[in-house]
Amino acid sequence: MKKSYRALTSTALVSSMVLLAACGSNNASEGSEAAKPKIKFMHMYDKNATPPSHQADLIENFKKANPDVTFDEEVQSHDNYETKIKTLSAANELPDLFLVKPSMVATFVENGLLLPLDDQLNKDAAWKDGFIEGSLDPYIVDGKTYGVQMSGGPTHVIYYNKELVANAGFAEFPKTWTEFETLIKKLVEQKITPIALGNKGKWVANSSYMSTLGDRFTGTEWFNSLVANEGAKFTDPEFVQALGALQNLVKIGAFNKDMNSIDNNQQRTSYYNGKAAMFIEGSWAANAVESSAPKDIVEKTGLAVFPAIEGAKGAQNSVSGGGGWAYAVNAKVDPAKLDDIQKLIKSLTDSSAAKLILEYGDIPSSKVENIESIELSPMSKQLVQLLETTKYTPIYDTRMSPGLTESMNTTLQELMIGKYTPEQAAEAMQKEYDKEMKK
């Protein structure tokens, strides 16, 4: 599928370049007295949408502060955006400024469609250095940065009931994997479901568990090598160990038995009812807990990430996250527009923008100074403080192809019900990977 998409893109590129060359000739002969050319900008942030969007607000703020900068703006719905941008890329008709997500970047770069943004970032050290470590990594290809993300929190956060954990003998959340497994066994003895899991949609185990657990065992270089087809394999011992750790959680009774029959909303309900001591999702669930859980549960909720795994080779304070939509620039953009485009992207992503993003309950990609001066809910503050001690690592299902992600999701689901051993699950994933690499 990838090969055919690239072939289609290449064909369309040749055709479009001929047309553009003809159009360019006409424009040159006409000349132009215009002070500033319009910036063609496509995004998905409708200023009239409900609920409102921090990016829509920031875009309107930029327009008011910079009336000399004009736009040819196209706002797509979230559901339509990805299809539209891929269609435009195939026809080499991308706007000047648009949004990409990590899974698009490598192919777009391979086809010469994206402008490296390192020069723009390097012009403003405060902006460049203000990003949370690792938040721009999903948009880096061969050492060059092709996207600037505005927000995107972790896909892994453990929401835990401090009272139930204390009753199991832990005054604070476990610091090691061995202690974590001990906590789970204690909760089982007390007939409390240790971790409510709703993996009916298949993505929870991959996005909110395996992306973080796998990196703890393999290190991030392993995943980067895997997606670049540079030698890493699902069957490598460290990744098999990660699969074994996940399966062992099932064996010691960590999850509810209907984990593959209920969804993530239902897993939260079990936690809200006090029947489960923990559930694991991304930062997006924080707002749900505060708005939907009983007040006493909200007050008892603490936040954590997987504890350190003894002997594992990866960073032990890492958490999968940061891989959302990012602003990107057309490789063929008129250089006369670049200063204004840089100013616009900065205004949507820097530490000032981050304050507004936080106030909307989202997790910004830039650091926020004087966070105590911002009105945040107690859980949002907990989340920000938690992230100050962690580093983002790749979210598997945002970096891998849709086909490989679906195969991995299904295999993990079946691993957790004992259909596969860790070795067999790794072989199944590798088989799908090899098949895709041959296309």
Side-chain angles (χ1 to χ4, degrees):
M1 187 172 180
K2 184 186 292 183
K3 186 175 180 181
S4 62
Y5 169 70
R6 289 175 182 167
L8 174 63
T9 303
S10 299
T11 303
L13 276 173
V14 172
S15 303
S16 298
M17 287 175 68
V18 172
L19 290 171
L20 284 174
C23 294
S25 175
N26 290 339
N27 290 340
S29 64
E30 290 171 3
S32 174
E33 298 282 330
K36 283 190 173 184
K38 281 188 175 181
I39 296 172
K40 292 184 178 179
F41 184 16
M42 194 172 102
H43 58 82
M44 60 181 90
Y45 307 117
D46 184 349
K47 64 182 180 182
N48 299 314
T50 303
S53 154
H54 47 73
Q55 288 301 291
D57 280 359
L58 289 166
I59 291 168
E60 292 305 306
N61 290 345
F62 180 87
K63 290 178 184 175
K64 290 174 185 173
N66 299 275
D68 60 322
V69 181
T70 56
F71 296 92
D72 180 358
E73 193 173 3
E74 181 176 348
V75 182
Q76 288 285 329
S77 70
H78 182 275
D79 290 348
N80 291 336
Y81 182 86
E82 186 168 347
T83 299
K84 182 69 182 285
I85 204 68
K86 286 182 176 177
T87 301
L88 292 175
S89 71
N92 197 20
E93 294 177 348
L94 287 169
D96 300 317
L97 177 63
F98 51 98
L99 296 161
V100 294
K101 62 182 184 180
S103 60
M104 300 175 179
V105 174
T107 303
F108 277 33
V109 170
E110 188 176 330
N111 287 302
L113 299 174
L114 299 185
L115 184 77
L117 300 176
D118 302 279
D119 288 347
Q120 280 65 46
L121 287 163
N122 289 334
K123 286 179 182 176
D124 192 325
W127 178 35
K128 178 184 176 182
D129 297 339
F131 288 98
I132 295 170
E133 187 178 1
S135 62
L136 299 185
D137 288 357
Y139 318 97
I140 294 175
V141 177
D142 295 333
K144 296 179 180 178
T145 309
Y146 291 93
V148 182
Q149 189 191 46
M150 74 298 289
S151 64
T155 63
H156 166 87
V157 177
I158 299 176
Y159 298 81
Y160 69 96
N161 184 317
K162 290 184 281 190
E163 183 176 278
L164 293 178
V165 168
N167 290 345
F170 286 81
E172 59 180 9
F173 199 78
K175 300 295 186 188
T176 69
W177 193 258
T178 299
E179 291 176 355
F180 184 55
E181 290 189 336
T182 300
L183 167 64
I184 289 168
K185 293 172 184 174
K186 293 285 186 184
L187 289 165
V188 171
E189 289 173 5
Q190 297 176 356
K191 302 192 183 305
I192 299 289
T193 300
I195 308 173
L197 174 57
N199 195 36
K200 181 180 179 181
K202 300 183 182 178
W203 59 267
V204 176
N206 194 352
S207 194
S208 295
Y209 284 70
M210 203 61 203
S211 295
T212 294
L213 189 59
D215 195 87
R216 295 288 176 88
F217 279 94
T218 67
T220 302
E221 287 184 3
W222 174 87
F223 185 75
N224 290 336
S225 172
L226 186 83
V227 295
N229 194 21
E230 292 178 345
K233 296 181 181 296
F234 284 108
T235 50
D236 289 336
E238 293 83 2
F239 187 74
V240 175
Q241 289 173 3
L243 293 172
L246 180 63
Q247 191 179 60
N248 196 54
L249 291 181
V250 181
K251 289 180 177 177
I252 64 175
F255 308 115
N256 41 296
K257 294 189 183 303
D258 59 351
M259 58 187 170
N260 287 338
S261 302
I262 66 172
D263 62 24
N264 61 309
N265 290 316
Q266 290 168 299
Q267 74 180 12
R268 294 177 200 162
T269 300
S270 181
Y271 177 79
Y272 298 163
N273 292 339
K275 294 180 179 177
M278 299 173 261
F279 77 96
I280 301 176
E281 269 190 75
S283 58
W284 58 82
N287 286 336
V289 173
E290 289 193 308
S291 62
S292 303
K295 185 179 177 182
D296 67 313
I297 294 292
V298 175
E299 292 173 348
K300 293 173 184 173
T301 297
L303 307 182
V305 298
F306 279 148
I309 299 166
E310 302 94 323
K313 66 185 290 185
Q316 298 304 303
N317 63 340
S318 61
V319 60
S320 54
W325 291 98
Y327 291 105
V329 177
N330 189 332
K332 296 178 177 59
V333 66
D334 179 352
K337 300 179 183 179
L338 272 178
D339 284 347
D340 286 330
I341 287 175
Q342 182 215 24
K343 192 161 59 173
L344 172 59
I345 297 177
K346 180 189 172 190
S347 75
L348 303 175
T349 61
D350 66 4
S351 58
S352 295
K355 290 182 180 178
L356 182 68
I357 292 168
L358 262 180
E359 289 170 359
Y360 269 76
D362 208 348
I363 300 299
S365 298
S366 290
K367 302 165 191 168
V368 179
E369 296 180 356
N370 299 321
I371 195 168
E372 294 302 326
S373 66
I374 304 174
E375 286 192 19
L376 296 175
S377 69
M379 197 162 294
S380 293
K381 284 186 178 177
Q382 274 198 72
L383 195 53
V384 172
Q385 289 163 355
L386 179 72
L387 295 178
E388 288 175 349
T389 62
T390 61
K391 174 190 174 184
Y392 283 155
T393 56
I395 308 167
Y396 290 172
D397 51 335
T398 67
R399 299 281 299 278
M400 297 189 303
S401 71
L404 189 55
T405 296
E406 176 60 22
S407 173
M408 190 175 180
N409 287 349
T410 300
T411 303
L412 287 174
Q413 201 178 53
E414 293 177 342
L415 169 81
M416 296 177 75
I417 59 172
K419 181 176 178 179
Y420 294 128
T421 65
E423 291 78 10
Q424 290 169 334
E427 288 171 3
M429 293 177 194
Q430 187 62 34
K431 184 178 179 181
E432 183 66 25
Y433 177 84
D434 290 341
K435 189 166 62 177
E436 187 162 303
M437 289 301 112
K438 290 177 182 176
K439 291 180 180 178

